[in-house]
Amino acid sequence: MSHTDPVILALRALGETAGTAQDDDHTQTCLHCGHELARLTEVVDLARHAGSDEHLEQPPTAVWDRIAAAVGTGAVSSGPVGPLETVASSNGHQRMAEDSGERTGVGARRSFWAGGRRGRLVTVLAGLAAGLIIGVGATVGVVQLTTAPGTRVVAQIELSPLPAFPQWQGTTGTAVMRATASQQVMVVT
Amino acid sequence: MDRTSDEDVSGVFSKGHPDALKLVYERFGPLVYSIALRSLRARSDAEDVTQQVFVSAWRSRDSFDPKRGTLGGWLVTITRNKVADALRERQRQSRVLLQVAGGATVSASAPPADQVVDRILLADELAQLPESQRLVMVLAFYSDLTHEQIAKVLGLPLGTVKSHIRRSLQRLRSRLEADGVAY
């Protein structure tokens, strides 16, 4: 016998009673039609499970601006590497620029920092504040940062001096790890 | 935009045309952003991942081979990798700070669920359907109407509704087979 009408398979996948008893018999015994019905039913289940509120969201327009800045010719220049490098050491954009063999210079950083949410970077501290030494092996950068919207606090800890630094006894501080998906900064105060 | 247009976008992209990235972003930006947003649940992280995906795709466009898969599927793969990176990074940060705080353990972050990707792909493909087909499918999926009732509600011939349902379901299935993860 010929295969089941694809329209009947589609309607059955949607849960409708379509076709005849003969179609029932056929889809239950024919590997091809049984497989077709199962695959279409999976599509319907997936759609219904997602619900009608499953919709696509438009990224904010600033995202395209950042992409254009990152790949545009104006985004890369060959200049001296300044102190901001340390801050961006775990930064995805920077990493990709390095991967592709391009040297990311001052101009690139300026346009990147100015264009993004992280344009609020104020000062890079030369060393750890107040001699507080903490055992963080993966510290990305030590920066002073204004409270930037769009970053979130991953963790926060109160600091106190190690016994090996008696001259700092009585000093206290706070370390706050702020993060976005591509960059992390530790703020020590 | 129909299937042919997707192929056109893919074509200009792999040739490295200067405007291609913008075209690709306009077509697939919402898909990438939605997968990232649904997986990471933080807008700033999803924006960062979206940026990384398109910058990375552009820089490695030579490695995209249209003969081996669709551009959409390639971008979904990059997105999943970047999302996984972002989740790992979150976990690493939490671990580092908690170690400093006294060695507490951190539970693993879940990788982006495959079903999340497939559901958003489905929403993306539904959005690509011509208006009347999309309407028929939305009613077929999410209302209790039978195809006869849908025909009456929309004032369409029964044969047209049947044809829309068959073709649209097959199209959604093809998209999932090409670009999907769990399907």
Side-chain angles (χ1 to χ4, degrees):
Chain A
M1 120 173 220
S2 59
H3 288 309
T4 306
D5 181 352
V7 171
I8 289 174
L9 290 176
L11 291 174
R12 286 190 171 206
L14 284 164
E16 291 199 38
T17 46
T20 61
Q22 206 177 6
D23 291 320
D24 284 343
D25 292 340
H26 180 77
T27 50
Q28 281 164 15
T29 53
C30 170
L31 278 180
H32 172 78
C33 291
H35 175 74
E36 288 292 300
L37 180 59
R39 292 300 272 172
L40 293 178
T41 305
E42 280 180 62
V43 175
V44 173
D45 288 348
L46 195 62
R48 286 186 175 154
H49 187 260
S52 56
D53 60 343
E54 184 70 72
H55 58 279
L56 297 176
E57 294 214 33
Q58 292 288 337
T61 49
V63 176
W64 168 253
D65 296 339
R66 285 160 56 191
I67 293 167
V71 302
T73 50
V76 177
S77 66
S78 56
V81 175
L84 279 178
E85 207 71 66
T86 55
V87 177
S89 61
S90 179
N91 180 289
H93 321 290
Q94 190 104 13
R95 198 163 54 234
M96 280 184 284
E98 285 158 7
D99 287 349
S100 63
E102 295 153 351
R103 183 155 183 215
T104 308
V106 169
R109 276 198 304 278
R110 188 170 295 134
S111 63
F112 168 68
W113 290 104
R117 280 175 284 103
R118 295 181 286 273
R120 297 165 186 82
L121 185 67
V122 180
T123 314
V124 178
L125 300 182
L128 290 177
L132 295 168
I133 299 185
I134 50 175
V136 180
T139 306
V140 170
V142 180
V143 299
Q144 184 177 355
L145 190 75
T146 57
T147 306
T151 63
R152 67 197 156 73
V153 174
V154 175
Q156 181 168 340
I157 184 173
E158 299 305 315
L159 300 176
S160 57
L162 294 172
F165 294 85
Q167 71 273 31
W168 294 105
Q169 292 306 316
T171 312
T172 58
T174 308
V176 180
M177 183 79 99
R178 288 187 169 274
T180 68
S182 63
Q183 193 209 8
Q184 311 77 44
V185 289
M186 179 171 284
V187 184
V188 179
T189 51
Chain B
M1 192 179 285
D2 60 19
R3 181 65 55 197
T4 313
S5 303
D6 275 5
E7 284 165 4
D8 289 346
V9 171
S10 170
V12 291
F13 176 77
S14 50
K15 289 192 186 84
H17 191 275
D19 294 331
L21 186 61
K22 177 78 172 168
L23 272 177
V24 171
Y25 180 79
E26 282 171 358
R27 169 63 188 87
F28 294 107
L31 176 69
V32 167
Y33 180 66
S34 298
I35 291 172
L37 185 58
R38 222 58 59 87
S39 305
L40 294 167
R41 298 174 192 279
R43 287 190 182 272
S44 58
D45 289 356
E47 289 169 23
D48 284 349
V49 162
T50 304
Q51 177 182 357
Q52 290 168 16
V53 168
F54 285 96
V55 171
S56 185
W58 182 248
R59 289 188 172 145
S60 55
R61 61 188 178 277
D62 288 345
S63 68
F64 168 64
D65 181 358
K67 294 187 200 76
R68 291 177 53 202
T70 64
L71 182 58
W74 189 63
L75 290 169
V76 166
T77 302
I78 299 175
T79 306
R80 294 178 71 223
N81 290 337
K82 299 289 183 196
V83 165
D85 285 350
L87 288 171
R88 263 195 298 278
E89 189 53 35
R90 265 188 199 173
Q91 204 180 336
R92 190 187 67 78
Q93 289 165 4
S94 308
R95 203 164 42 230
V96 165
L97 265 287
L98 283 172
Q99 276 169 3
V100 172
T105 54
V106 186
S107 59
S109 303
D114 295 347
Q115 286 242 327
V116 168
V117 176
D118 286 357
R119 287 206 296 263
I120 293 166
L121 273 174
L122 208 53
D124 182 72
E125 194 62 27
L126 261 178
Q128 306 301 315
L129 291 175
E131 185 63 23
S132 72
Q133 289 185 36
R134 195 172 57 77
L135 210 47
V136 166
M137 294 317 290
V138 166
L139 290 176
F141 284 147
Y142 308 117
S143 77
D144 288 332
L145 301 179
T146 65
H147 68 284
E148 285 105 343
Q149 291 167 326
I150 291 171
K152 276 189 194 141
V153 167
L154 297 179
L156 291 172
L158 194 58
T160 303
V161 170
K162 283 182 180 174
S163 161
H164 281 353
I165 286 175
R166 180 182 66 80
R167 289 171 55 195
S168 302
L169 262 189
Q170 284 294 352
R171 180 169 159 172
L172 295 172
R173 171 196 180 173
S174 301
R175 178 71 188 280
L176 286 171
E177 284 178 346
D179 301 346
V181 182
Y183 181 76

